[in-house]
């Protein structure tokens, strides 16, 4: 496994592209990103004080098993946070929250060959001590919830270690939060429903007007209400 550290880069997900096809697992970490990318084409605030990394893996999974990568990334983050004494919860599919605010975003970009996930770039942005005052109503950092906050290097080291170890679906379920909550479903249609459970397939089951509906993480996200 190659691990590379950068002072600054536009986006670790962009930078790691140069290693694609090499067959070697790689992790690229940056102290800050000038153009951090989020899901749905959004930008991801990436000032110094956070952990920003991308991991390139060759997972050899069927295309339909992409959820396993999302679950693994989220579990790796949760184990890391728990190890420092925090109490993280996953908002399906793979946002990690501390209390009611998001502390970590995950952007996974998979590359397919013959219906298999041949390469996967798992990008993780975890707020440790970075200034989030411009997003304070929706985002938080580890520093805000811990009396003794670890250093960025300590968090990065533990996260890297957890990413390279295996995780299970049971671990994912143990960290899933917000079930029983009213959520707004954001897909082709938008509606309010109650989050019920996460199925082995990775789908979220919600209840709307007495009807159970399965949502696929590839197409749909939910917002807490
Ligand atoms: C999201 O919540 O929208 C996902 C954010 C993912 C951010 C990480 S930071 C490291 C990697 N590089 C990027 O440009 N994005 C991901």
């Amino acid at each position: 496994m190659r691990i590379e550290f950068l002072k600054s880069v536009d986006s670790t997900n962009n930078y790691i592209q140069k290693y694609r096809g090499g067959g070697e697992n790689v992790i690229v970490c940056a102290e800050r990103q000038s153009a951090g990318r989020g899901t749905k084409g959004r930008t991801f605030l990436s000032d110094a004080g956070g952990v920003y990394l991308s991991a390139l893996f060759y997972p050899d999974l069927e295309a339909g098993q992409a959820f396993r990568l999302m679950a693994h990334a989220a579990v790796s983050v949760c184990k890391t946070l728990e190890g420092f004494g925090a109490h993280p919860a996953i908002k399906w599919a793979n946002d990690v929250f501390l209390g009611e605010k998001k502390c970590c975003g995950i952007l996974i970009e998979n590359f397919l060959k013959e219906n298999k996930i041949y390469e996967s770039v798992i990008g993780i942005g975890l707020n440790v001590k970075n200034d989030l005052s411009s997003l304070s109503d929706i985002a938080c950092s580890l520093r805000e919830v811990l009396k003794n906050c670890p250093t960025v290097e300590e968090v990065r080291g533990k996260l890297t270690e957890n990413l390279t170890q295996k995780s299970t679906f049971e671990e994912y379920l143990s960290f899933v939060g917000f079930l029983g909550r009213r959520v707004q479903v954001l897909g082709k249609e938008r509606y309010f429903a109650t989050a019920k459970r996460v199925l082995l397939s990775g789908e979220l089951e919600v209840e709307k007007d007495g009807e159970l509906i399965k949502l696929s993480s590839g197409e749909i996200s939910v917002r807490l209400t």
Side-chain angles (χ1 to χ4, degrees), residues 132-164:
L132 292 164
S133 40
S134 61
L135 295 172
S136 61
D137 46 338
I138 53 167
C140 72
S141 67
L142 190 54
R143 174 176 60 181
E144 292 167 48
V145 301
L146 287 185
K147 271 205 189 105
N148 295 312
C149 185
T151 63
V152 174
E153 291 73 23
E154 285 169 324
V155 178
R156 189 163 55 211
K158 206 66 209 167
L159 178 57
T160 302
E161 193 182 309
N162 287 332
L163 271 172
T164 55

Side-chain angles (χ1 to χ4, degrees), residues 171-188:
E171 285 178 296
Y172 175 81
L173 287 184
S174 74
F175 286 116
V176 168
F178 309 108
L179 299 180
R181 283 273 294 259
R182 286 296 278 176
V183 293
Q184 186 179 19
V185 176
L186 306 170
K188 276 190 201 129

Side-chain angles (χ1 to χ4, degrees), residues 11-13 33 36-39 44 53-54 102 105-107 123-125:
S11 152
T12 53
N13 267 40
Q33 299 181 116
R37 293 195 283 116
T39 54
F44 188 81
L53 64 79
S54 298
K102 177 166 157 173
I106 296 172
L107 174 67
I124 300 179

Side-chain angles (χ1 to χ4, degrees), residues 26-152:
V26 180
I27 294 184
V28 172
C29 313
E31 279 179 26
R32 61 174 69 83
Q33 299 181 116
S34 56
R37 293 195 283 116
T39 54
K40 300 177 187 160
R42 297 194 187 112
T43 56
F44 188 81
L45 195 64
S46 309
D47 295 335
V51 170
Y52 312 106
L53 64 79
S54 298
L56 171 65
F57 290 121
Y58 295 82
D60 195 26
L61 290 172
E62 299 296 323
Q65 293 177 306
F67 179 77
R68 284 178 47 183
L69 296 165
M70 301 171 100
H72 176 64
V75 167
S76 300
V77 170
C78 288
K79 280 186 186 166
T80 301
L81 294 172
E82 204 172 56
F84 291 112
H87 302 288
I90 296 170
K91 180 181 77 68
W92 181 86
N94 63 0
D95 284 336
V96 180
F97 275 56
L98 290 168
E100 291 289 308
K101 293 182 185 177
K102 177 166 157 173
C103 68
C104 176
I106 296 172
L107 174 67
I108 299 187
E109 296 176 303
N110 291 325
F111 301 91
L112 304 183
K113 230 185 217 176
E114 290 160 6
N115 211 37
K116 288 213 154 186
I117 302 172
Y118 161 68
E119 292 169 300
S120 180
V121 172
I122 299 180
I124 300 179
L126 174 54
N127 302 322
V128 181
K129 300 179 173 202
N130 40 322
D131 176 17
L132 292 164
S133 40
S134 61
L135 295 172
S136 61
D137 46 338
I138 53 167
C140 72
S141 67
L142 190 54
R143 174 176 60 181
E144 292 167 48
V145 301
L146 287 185
K147 271 205 189 105
N148 295 312
C149 185
T151 63
V152 174

